[in-house]
């Protein structure tokens, strides 16, 4: 079998060798050791594994390998199918010989690129939860010691949550492997409290061995480490997280862990309920987004269960703000006080409040600060360190949410702010000086102090005295104040600062009051003297010294009288008298006055009692200055020792008090001022000149400090009145009420009735107002001319000064009636009437023939009377010929113009009827004659032609136009009046309501009808009483008159107003609107 | 309790009772006001049901009408001593948690604590009048060993406990008024139980 097969074996061997040459990797045949795989975990050695056929699984395997031809082959026996051998630099030849088979030897050539690099599965050393912060702390070893050189390692960490192990996050952690085993750590903060549900962590790694050419891969995942949630604990329950402090704006997850059988009703954050999400059968959670700041006690998170509630409190606030305005100073070189403003409140209080610490970098000393949370300004103290002037402070601020800091470099010798001086006392004083002592707590030995003493009194303004004194350690300091006024109460206080580098003043010390002792008065009083009216004695006056001169309380004045150095009299006058009387008789002396207080006497003031005679003493007026009185005088060369202006103040009933003022010789005017001067009060001044021999009265002056308007108006009366003039007289105003020098009077007058409500004349704006200015003060009366008779006038009189006008005094006066005018008013009408009568007589005489023919023909025939003819045409059947008889006819009037012309002239063409014609009978009379006949007419609404014109042979039918002035009114006809209307119709009038019967003829008139005619005629359609003319004396009560007054006037078609006033004739009543009376003739105003 | 009470002792007891009633009435009013302020300041629901607070004796008791005067006094005293301790603890916690932020509530708490202390002292006076020994306080007895510190409560639990303490204190104030009224009756001068149907 072998012989036959040897060629084939050789062939096979050759092929195998060829193949081995071609691929160079695996030598052997199928069924032998195969699938050799090599994996390294540490880049030093690799673990090679292979597969063998089932025949070779049991038994020993010879394993040989060699890296190259130079190195000896390494062989060893193994029963396993895996060996660990070094990683070759390039390749390695491996021969595996399984025991018991001839052809079980396989040779593999393994190149480095065929070796896989898979790191060892990492092992989690520890997983620690931090429940308050929901943080997981993971620790593991990197096994760096097993790697030959430093490599980059990547660690993949996976967090899983819930029972279902949902992946929450997966992060990659980078590290550098060193030659040593290092423990790596990583923290992860969960957005969900760790108590809410179980959390799992696993890890794997990848080592980036760049020089290793073989395939590299991640290690396997490590076994999970678990942090069990509270929902896995039996009986675990509650709301989580507990008492957490978080920043504003955080997104928060709260969970409620409960028993499995319990049911959650709701979960609230603050007062708001949130939708729950289930974490497990025993755990539910809510998510709160953008949390806002909590109140002081925190925000409650409440989980309401069916049987009770669980809860937690969360505090939402801000991280501390950076401290602002950090400033440090020392009050005493023992402690440094730093102050700052905390900025935005954190919203956290109590044990979560913001805490402060002061760290000094130079010394490394740190102090914690106890600050008042509520206070706006925070203060922290730091001890002054020996031999250290400059301090580099860092103010650290922190709270559970965050921290901040602020720094300040300060030289405390330049930041000295001492405390207020204490124990301020006076150690000594006299009339002009005070010695003060005070104490300042602090160690100021190495600096100077600048102290400021404030001194004030009621008589002077506040003054500040600065003194620089060397500082000492907790010592007292003294200072002396000089140049003070005697007998003055001073208020004193002190404050200090550092003198070398001023920073801030201390607060003021407590105030201290001290009064200096008295001193003799500084000078003698200002004195004056006056002879008594009898001349037997001299009254000596003196002015009180000013407070700055008294130097104490003045107790008395000593008045002495010397005649040639011989004392005639001495008087001690106690305060508060400021005058005394010395009886000298007719003799004179030199008067000396000395003021005394408890400390001594003033220098004496002297004055002679001699008064030189004077002549031609005039009285002048002074000029008021508003705040004083300006007095001027001529220069008197003889007056060698000046002038004295003396005046007297009087107040009420008390005698006036003498006052005076002295001026040097070169003065010729002065403004006298006094607090006692009052505006509007007259003061009398006397100007004295001073000579060596005595004083001489030069002149008297009166004046006002300020002139005011007179207080009252002058009283005045009307002395005499005529029809065109008034004589007014007035009296002087008393001096006290003048309140200024009187300049004149203003007499105003205008027409006006007495009326209490009328304004003053001067204010009335009356254009007729006339004003007389009387500047002659001697004049006490005035006559006003050119007035109107029987007219009321208002008179006002005012006095005026430079200060203004006095209030007015008013009078009303009525001038007398003008008799001449009355006579003229009577005579003129009489004369006119007489003249008219004469003219009428002349006319009648000249026209006597025509009159006779017309009115009194020789054969009396009424038919020939044109007037009667006309009357018949209008109202035929009337018994009488009364031209203005209104009864038979309707009360309207029609003016019929009868002229000689054939065509009648009718003024109002509107009133002309197109059909009716008025024929005027021929008349041979004067062409000027026009017959104005007023007849009654009945106004129709419609112009209507008389359908049945009268057949009067005289042919003098008048054309009458009827205009209804009350067209709106319908005639109110009673049934029993109808026959009357019929008759009226026949007379030419057709009332608009009776057109159908207008054709009736008038021939058939019976006497009864005639009688009816009297009462018939047109009735106005309106109540004529309402047509009153509106004048008080119109005869509206008389019906007939009323009608007559209304009718006969043309009226507007559009209105109902009469265009012409009612025409009157002799028989008609007097005009209605008279309103005029004879007396009116004399009055300017008709209404008056 | 003395079987036969002297007239002056009876007067004194009645006086103490009436003053105690006034004290309890005032305390009740103040506690009710404090409850309102507390609920608002702590952000709690006024209607929230709170489980019985550990260490607080309940005001409601069975067979109240069968209690003797001394029993009433002793129960009252024990309750107010407990309240005194609890209120002091509340005050301390309040200061710790709020600092100076809400001084008004702290002052009100301190005022009620003072009233509770005064009332406890008043009860001791009454007990002395009844010739009864004053029981020592628990804290005194356990001073040497010291009780195990109670587990620290969460802030929410502290809030709820405070609510429970104040509610129960308000109840106790009412009960104390009724107890003292019972005690003020002359028939209760002895330790015999009254036969009243009244119940707190």
């Amino acid at each position: 079998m072998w012989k036959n097969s040897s060629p084939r074996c050789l062939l096979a061997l050759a092929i195998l060798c060829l193949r081995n040459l071609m691929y160079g990797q695996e030598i052997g045949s199928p069924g032998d050791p195969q699938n050799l795989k090599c994996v390294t975990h540490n880049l030093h050695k690799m673990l090679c594994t292979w597969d063998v056929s089932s025949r070779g699984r049991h038994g020993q395997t010879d394993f040989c390998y060699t890296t190259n031809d130079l190195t000896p082959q390494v062989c060893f026996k193994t029963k396993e199918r895996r060996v660990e051998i070094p990683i070759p630099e390039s390749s390695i030849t491996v021969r595996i010989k399984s025991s018991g088979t001839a052809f079980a030897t396989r040779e593999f050539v393994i190149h480095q690129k065929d070796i896989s690099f898979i790191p060892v599965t990492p092992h989690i050393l520890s997983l620690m939860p931090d429940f308050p912060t929901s943080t997981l702390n993971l620790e593991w070893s990197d096994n760096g010691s097993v790697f030959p050189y430093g490599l980059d390692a990547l660690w993949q960490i996976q967090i899983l949550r819930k029972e279902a192990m949902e992946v929450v996050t997966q992060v990659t952690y980078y590290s550098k492997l060193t030659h040593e085993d290092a423990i790596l750590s990583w923290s992860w903060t969960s957005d969900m409290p760790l108590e809410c549900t179980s959390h799992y962590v696993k890890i794997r790694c990848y080592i980036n061995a760049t020089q290793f050419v073989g395939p590299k891969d991640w290690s396997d995942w490590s076994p999970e480490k678990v942090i069990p949630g509270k929902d896995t604990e039996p009986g675990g329950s509650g709301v989580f997280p507990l008492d957490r402090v978080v920043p504003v704006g955080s997104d928060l997850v709260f969970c409620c862990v409960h028993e499995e059988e319990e049911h959650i009703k709701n979960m609230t954050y603050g007062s708001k309920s949130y939708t729950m999400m289930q974490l497990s059968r025993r755990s539910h959670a809510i998510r709160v987004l953008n949390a806002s700041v909590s109140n002081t006690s925190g925000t409650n998170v409440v989980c309401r269960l069916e049987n009770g509630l669980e809860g937690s409190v969360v505090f939402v606030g801000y991280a501390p703000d950076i401290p602002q305005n950090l400033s440090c100073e020392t009050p005493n070189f023992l402690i440094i006080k730093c102050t700052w403003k905390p900025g935005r409140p954190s919203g956290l209080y109590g044990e979560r409040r913001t805490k402060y610490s002061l760290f000094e970098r130079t010394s490394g000393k740190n102090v914690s600060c106890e600050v008042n949370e509520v206070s706006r300004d925070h203060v922290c103290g730091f001890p002054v360190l020996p031999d250290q002037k400059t301090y580099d402070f860092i103010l650290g601020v922190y709270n559970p949410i965050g921290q901040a800091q602020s720094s300040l470099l300060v030289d405390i010798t330049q930041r000295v702010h001492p405390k207020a001086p204490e124990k301020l006392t006076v150690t000594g004083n006299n009339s002009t000086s005070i010695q003060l002592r005070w104490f300042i707590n602090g160690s100021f030995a190495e600096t100077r102090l600048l102290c400021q003493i404030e001194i004030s009194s009621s008589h002077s303004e506040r003054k500040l005295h600065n003194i620089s004194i060397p500082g000492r350690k907790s010592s007292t300091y003294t200072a002396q104040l000089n140049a003070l006024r005697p007998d003055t109460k001073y208020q004193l206080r002190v404050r200090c600062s550092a003198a070398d580098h001023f920073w801030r003043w201390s607060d003021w010390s407590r105030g201290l009051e001290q009064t200096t002792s008295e001193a003799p008065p500084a000078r003698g009083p200002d004195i004056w003297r006056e002879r008594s009216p009898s001349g037997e004695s001299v009254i000596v006056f003196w002015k009180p010294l000013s407070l700055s001169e008294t130097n104490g309380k003045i107790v008395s004045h000593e008045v002495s009288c010397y005649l040639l150095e011989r004392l005639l009299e001495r008087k001690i006058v106690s305060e508060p008298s400021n005058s005394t009387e010395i009886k000298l008789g007719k003799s004179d002396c030199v008067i000396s006055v000395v003021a005394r207080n408890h400390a001594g006497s003033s220098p004496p003031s002297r004055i002679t009692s001699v008064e030189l005679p004077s002549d031609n003493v005039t009285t002048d007026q002074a000029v008021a200055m508003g705040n004083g009185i300006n007095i001027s005088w001529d220069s008197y060369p003889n007056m060698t020792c000046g002038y004295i202006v003396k005046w007297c103040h009087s107040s009420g009933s008390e005698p006036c008090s003498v006052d005076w003022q002295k001026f040097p010789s070169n003065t010729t005017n002065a403004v006298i001022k006094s607090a006692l001067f009052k505006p509007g009060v007259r003061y009398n001044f006397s100007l004295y000149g001073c000579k060596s021999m005595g004083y001489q009265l030069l002149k008297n002056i009166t004046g006002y400090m300020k002139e005011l308007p007179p207080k009252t108006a002058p009283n005045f009366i009307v002395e005499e009145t005529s029809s065109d003039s008034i004589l007014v007289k007035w009296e002087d105003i008393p001096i006290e009420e003048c309140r200024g020098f009187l300049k004149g009077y203003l007499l105003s007058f205008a027409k006006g009735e007495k009326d209490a409500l009328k304004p003053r004349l001067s204010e009335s704006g009356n254009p007729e107002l006339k004003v007389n200015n009387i500047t002659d003060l001697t004049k006490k009366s005035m006559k006003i001319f050119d007035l109107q008779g029987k007219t009321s006038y208002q008179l006002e009189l005012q006095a005026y000064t430079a200060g203004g006008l006095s209030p007015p005094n008013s009078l009303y006066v009525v001038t007398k009636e003008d008799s001449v005018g009355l006579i003229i008013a009577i005579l003129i009408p009489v004369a006119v009437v007489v003249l008219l009568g004469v003219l009428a007589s002349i006319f009648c005489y000249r026209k006597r023939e025509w009159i006779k023919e017309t009115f009194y023909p020789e054969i009396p025939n009424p038919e020939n009377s044109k007037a009667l003819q006309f009357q018949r045409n209008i109202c035929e059947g009337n018994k009488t010929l009364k031209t203005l008889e209104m009864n038979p006819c309707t009360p309207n009037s029609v003016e019929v113009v009868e002229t000689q012309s054939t065509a009648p002239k009718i003024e109002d063409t509107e009133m002309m009827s197109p059909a009716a014609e008025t024929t005027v009978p021929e008349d041979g009379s004067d062409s000027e004659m026009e017959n104005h006949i007023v007849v009654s007419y009945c106004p129709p609404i419609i112009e209507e032609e008389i359908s049945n014109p009268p057949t009067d042979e005289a042919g003098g039918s008048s054309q009458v136009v009827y205009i209804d002035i009350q067209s709106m009114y319908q005639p109110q006809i009673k049934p029993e009046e109808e026959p009357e209307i019929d008759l009226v119709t026949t007379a030419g009038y057709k009332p608009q309501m009776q057109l159908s019967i207008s054709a009736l003829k008038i021939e058939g008139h019976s006497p009864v009808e005639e009688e009816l005619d009297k009462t018939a005629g047109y009735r106005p359609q309106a109540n004529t009483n309402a047509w009153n003319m509106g004048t008080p004396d119109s005869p509206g009560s008389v019906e007939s008159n009323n009608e007559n007054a209304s009718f006969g006037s043309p009226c507007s078609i559009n209105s109902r107003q009469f265009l012409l006033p009612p025409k009157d004739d002799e028989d008609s009543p007097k005009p209605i609107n008279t309103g005029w009376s004879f007396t009116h003739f004399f009055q300017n105003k008709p209404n008056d | 309790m003395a079987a036969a009470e002297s007239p002056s002792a009876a007067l004194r007891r009645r006086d103490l009772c009436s003053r105690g009633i006034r004290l309890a009435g005032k305390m009740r009013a103040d506690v009710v006001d404090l409850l309102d302020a507390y609920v608002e300041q702590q952000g709690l629901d006024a209607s929230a049901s709170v489980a019985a607070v550990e260490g607080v004796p309940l005001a409601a008791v069975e067979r109240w009408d069968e209690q003797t005067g001394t029993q009433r006094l002793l129960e009252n005293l024990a309750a107010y001593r407990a309240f005194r301790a609890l209120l002091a603890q509340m005050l301390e916690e309040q200061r710790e948690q709020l600092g100076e932020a809400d001084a008004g509530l702290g002052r009100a708490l301190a005022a009620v604590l003072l009233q509770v202390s005064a009332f406890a002292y008043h009860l001791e006076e009454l007990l002395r009048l009844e010739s009864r020994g004053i029981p020592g306080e628990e804290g005194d007895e356990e001073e040497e060993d010291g009780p195990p510190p109670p587990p620290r409560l969460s802030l929410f639990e502290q809030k709820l406990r405070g609510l429970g303490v104040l509610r129960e204190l308000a109840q106790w104030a009412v009960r104390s008024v009724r107890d003292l009224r019972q005690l003020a009756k002359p028939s209760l001068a002895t330790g015999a139980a009254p036969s009243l149907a009244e119940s707190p």
Side-chain angles (χ1 to χ4, degrees), chain A residues 510-556:
Chain A
R510 181 181 52 83
L512 175 71
E513 280 192 351
Q514 179 68 31
T515 305
T516 51
S517 54
E518 291 188 6
R523 68 173 182 89
D526 190 6
I527 57 176
W528 181 244
R529 86 287 173 276
E530 271 191 357
R531 278 278 175 184
S532 63
S534 64
E536 293 294 320
S537 60
V538 171
I539 304 169
V540 183
F541 303 95
W542 58 88
K543 289 182 183 176
L545 293 171
S546 66
L547 285 170
S548 61
E549 295 163 341
T550 55
N551 291 344
K553 184 177 172 12
I554 300 294
V555 292
S556 63

Side-chain angles (χ1 to χ4, degrees), chain A residues 72-143:
Chain A
Q73 188 178 31
V74 178
C75 291
F76 52 86
K77 293 181 183 298
T78 177
K79 289 184 178 179
E80 295 177 347
R81 289 183 303 278
R82 58 197 295 265
V83 293
E84 193 175 48
I85 57 175
I87 294 176
E89 288 182 3
S90 59
S91 64
I92 189 170
T93 304
V94 173
R95 183 172 292 118
I96 302 171
K97 182 182 178 184
S98 297
S99 61
T101 55
F103 290 97
T105 298
R106 289 286 302 270
E107 192 175 281
F108 300 92
V109 177
I110 301 170
H111 298 279
Q112 199 178 42
K113 63 184 173 56
D114 300 326
I115 303 166
S116 297
F117 176 40
I118 300 173
V120 180
T121 303
H123 175 68
I124 294 173
L125 293 178
S126 71
L127 178 65
M128 298 299 291
D130 182 30
F131 289 105
T133 58
S134 302
T135 303
L136 290 174
N137 296 307
L138 179 68
E139 284 185 351
W140 71 97
S141 172
D142 67 352
N143 289 323

Side-chain angles (χ1 to χ4, degrees), chain A residues 959-979:
Chain A
Q959 189 177 27
V960 181
V961 179
Y962 302 101
I963 297 292
D964 178 18
I965 61 171
Q966 298 291 332
S967 61
M968 295 297 288
Y969 293 92
Q970 297 299 321
Q972 301 300 317
I973 302 164
K974 297 175 184 176
E976 59 269 22
E977 288 176 353
E978 285 181 5

Side-chain angles (χ1 to χ4, degrees), chain A residues 521-685:
Chain A
R523 68 173 182 89
D526 190 6
I527 57 176
W528 181 244
R529 86 287 173 276
E530 271 191 357
R531 278 278 175 184
S532 63
S534 64
E536 293 294 320
S537 60
V538 171
I539 304 169
V540 183
F541 303 95
W542 58 88
K543 289 182 183 176
L545 293 171
S546 66
L547 285 170
S548 61
E549 295 163 341
T550 55
N551 291 344
K553 184 177 172 12
I554 300 294
V555 292
S556 63
H557 287 82
E558 182 184 301
V559 182
S560 309
C561 192
Y562 295 91
L563 179 61
L564 299 175
E565 304 299 328
R566 184 169 60 88
L567 179 65
L568 294 181
E569 188 170 352
R570 172 174 289 172
K571 271 188 167 181
I572 306 294
V573 183
S574 301
E575 279 285 285
S577 293
N578 61 348
S579 66
T580 186
E581 187 172 358
I582 299 173
K583 295 192 184 306
L584 286 176
K586 296 297 181 186
S587 59
D588 285 300
C589 69
V590 174
I591 300 161
S592 165
V593 180
V594 167
R596 282 183 171 175
N597 64 11
H598 292 295
S601 300
S602 71
S605 298
R606 293 191 175 88
I607 191 170
T608 176
S609 67
V610 176
E611 185 142 354
L612 303 173
S614 54
D615 51 357
N616 294 333
V617 176
T618 58
T619 300
D620 293 344
Q621 285 187 354
V623 179
M625 301 294 287
N627 57 350
I629 300 167
N630 188 4
I631 292 171
S632 59
W633 59 88
D634 298 330
S635 178
Y636 296 90
N638 297 334
M639 304 306 154
T640 54
C641 49
Y643 300 94
I644 290 98
V645 175
K646 185 218 81 177
W647 67 94
C648 200
H649 288 292
S650 70
S651 57
S653 58
E654 295 177 5
C656 72
S657 61
V658 174
D659 201 354
W660 64 94
Q661 202 166 333
K662 293 180 177 175
F663 300 97
S665 305
N666 56 357
T667 310
T668 55
N669 74 334
V671 176
I672 308 295
K673 292 181 180 178
S674 169
L676 300 175
F677 285 159
K678 293 174 186 169
V681 177
R682 179 175 289 193
Y683 295 97
N684 297 313
F685 299 88

